[in-house]
Amino acid sequence: MSESDGSASDKDTEEVIMEATFRALREHGYADLRMRHIGDEMELTRQVIHYHFEGKYDLMASFLEYVIDQYEGSVDIAQDADPRTELEARIDQCLFGPEFGEFTHWDRMKVYHELYTYAQNDEQHREIFNEHYELIRGSIVEVVEDGIEQGVFRDVDAERMGQLVTDVIHAARGRRISLGHDDAPDEARRAIHEFVLDPLCLDAEADRYS
């Protein structure tokens, strides 16, 4: 990506390019995508794309980071929320996403998962996906550790718990997108609540024996 002074106009232009990339990917798919397809999806000239990005590879790396930032920066949790409420909010964000003006959560996840399938052959993209996985897993681990420290959660292996929940989220999203199982996210949330969150909470455990 070319150097920029970080001005608002640069950021606005890059957002226009990113949203045009969404539209082009939805229309043509990753394998057949060309820079001209992205240019056709916006009012700005195609030269603007080449000014900001060196080529398709550079653009796709920035596009992945753009998609990830939309999710990482939009988890809305009250400051006084208890650990279970925060954990539920983070899980719902991953499964159902925030509200978007154009393209739904699943429109964006479809594009995200298409790029995900190519990561096995692309070291840079694989690194970005790995970082995203670790961000999701790490946020869950942190909440579980906080809950244990506050005496809200049982003393469990927070690292393994974070990995389990993250893997369930990824599997549910993939099942909905690849297999057309529209109820997969709801089923995953119910399973996480029944088999993870309820047993994890000390209050819920006490209620079962009261």
Side-chain angles (χ1 to χ4, degrees):
M1 192 169 179
S2 64
E3 291 186 1
S4 166
D5 61 4
S7 66
S9 59
D10 283 340
K11 294 178 182 177
D12 291 343
T13 299
E14 290 179 16
E15 184 172 357
V16 168
I17 295 172
M18 294 297 102
E19 292 299 311
T21 303
F22 266 119
R23 292 190 288 273
L25 282 168
R26 188 175 63 173
E27 177 71 22
H28 301 282
Y30 176 73
D32 296 327
L33 182 70
R34 300 293 182 268
M35 298 292 273
R36 68 175 182 274
H37 296 146
I38 299 172
D40 291 341
E41 295 293 340
M42 62 184 194
E43 295 181 358
L44 301 175
T45 63
R46 199 165 70 208
Q47 284 72 23
V48 173
I49 303 176
H50 294 288
Y51 172 79
H52 285 276
F53 303 99
E54 296 178 0
K56 176 181 174 180
Y57 187 84
D58 181 39
L59 174 56
M60 286 298 102
S62 295
F63 176 75
L64 279 174
E65 293 174 348
Y66 173 76
V67 176
I68 291 168
D69 286 345
Q70 286 183 318
Y71 283 84
E72 294 300 325
S74 58
V75 181
D76 187 16
I77 302 169
Q79 288 187 345
D80 60 347
D82 62 273
R84 173 158 183 161
T85 299
E86 180 176 353
L87 193 52
E88 289 175 346
R90 293 190 178 280
I91 291 168
D92 283 356
Q93 175 80 316
C94 292
L95 285 173
F96 303 101
E99 294 292 331
F100 293 105
E102 183 182 5
F103 305 115
T104 67
H105 162 66
W106 292 111
D107 289 331
R108 292 168 190 268
M109 282 295 100
K110 182 178 180 180
V111 170
Y112 178 93
H113 276 263
E114 181 181 3
L115 295 175
Y116 187 88
T117 62
Y118 286 92
Q120 60 182 320
N121 300 316
D122 190 309
E123 183 176 350
Q124 183 179 5
H125 289 182
R126 185 168 62 247
E127 182 178 342
I128 294 171
F129 279 114
N130 268 318
E131 289 175 357
H132 186 213
Y133 178 91
E134 287 304 320
L135 280 172
I136 296 174
R137 190 190 67 83
S139 67
I140 294 172
V141 169
E142 185 176 348
V143 178
V144 173
E145 288 176 340
D146 287 345
I148 294 171
E149 185 177 340
Q150 295 176 32
V152 176
F153 294 155
R154 292 188 301 109
D155 188 6
V156 299
D157 186 329
E159 295 286 341
R160 293 182 65 187
M161 180 67 73
Q163 182 176 332
L164 170 64
V165 173
T166 305
D167 287 348
V168 170
I169 289 168
H170 274 274
R173 293 195 311 202
R175 187 157 69 89
R176 187 192 188 282
I177 291 168
S178 299
L179 302 182
H181 296 178
D182 291 343
D183 58 350
D186 285 308
E187 289 182 348
R189 177 164 61 178
R190 286 195 295 270
I192 290 172
H193 277 237
E194 181 177 355
F195 299 112
V196 177
L197 295 185
D198 286 347
L200 183 63
C201 291
L202 290 172
D203 287 346
E205 183 175 351
D207 289 341
R208 287 201 299 271
Y209 296 100
S210 60

